[in-house]
Amino acid sequence: LGLMTLALTRSKGAAAAACVGVGMVVVLAAAERWPRLRGAAPTAAIVGVAGAIAAVALRGAAGPPETWRGERSLLFRWQYLEAAWRMFAEAPLAQRLSGLGPEGFHVGYEVHKSPLSPEVVTSSHSVFADWIVMLGVGGAAWS
């Protein structure tokens, strides 16, 4: 069912997440056979998350595509993260401590979004950024 869902949605992010998941299963299976690899699973998980964040940042740094056919999914995620950072940085101290809440993100995104972003979103599409912006200090601690 998972492979069928990937095929039907054609989601690049879901396909990448599935590859990372399969890689984690391989690392865990190898760690069972070779005890020296037991510490590799947490490292592999951190590398997977850091790799996803790096891919979004690199795509954001590349700027908009030259044609309408260019890749925009990662670029939009970069724009969501930029807007989330701006709304958190410009919020009053009390809101940075307590968070903006889900509705606060939605309203703030309209003010801080990139002029190139045609979408209206209610989330930054990053669980870490969402927790920090929506929950404030508690969300940062949770992250």
Side-chain angles (χ1 to χ4, degrees):
L1 289 175
L3 290 175
M4 187 172 77
T5 301
L6 285 174
L8 292 174
T9 62
R10 296 183 185 151
S11 170
K12 294 175 283 205
C19 289
V20 170
V22 168
M24 288 299 300
V25 169
V26 168
V27 168
L28 290 171
E32 287 297 317
R33 185 170 174 118
W34 296 291
R36 285 189 197 182
L37 293 177
R38 287 205 177 124
T43 303
I46 290 169
V47 167
V49 171
I53 293 169
V56 170
L58 289 171
R59 181 59 189 94
E66 293 185 18
T67 69
W68 67 271
R69 292 180 185 236
E71 195 287 322
R72 293 178 305 276
S73 178
L74 291 176
L75 177 64
F76 287 164
R77 278 163 178 70
W78 176 251
Q79 291 172 349
Y80 306 153
L81 286 173
E82 278 187 318
W85 173 251
R86 281 194 300 269
M87 77 179 85
F88 185 76
E90 294 175 13
L93 179 60
Q95 279 191 317
R96 280 189 259 160
L97 293 174
S98 66
L100 303 172
E103 184 61 27
F105 184 93
H106 177 69
V107 171
Y109 185 74
E110 285 298 311
V111 174
H112 296 284
K113 76 178 193 167
S114 166
L116 298 175
S117 179
E119 301 176 312
V120 176
V121 296
T122 59
S123 160
S124 68
H125 291 65
S126 164
V127 69
F128 302 116
D130 281 347
W131 286 346
I132 293 168
V133 171
M134 294 181 194
L135 303 174
V137 173
W142 190 261
S143 293

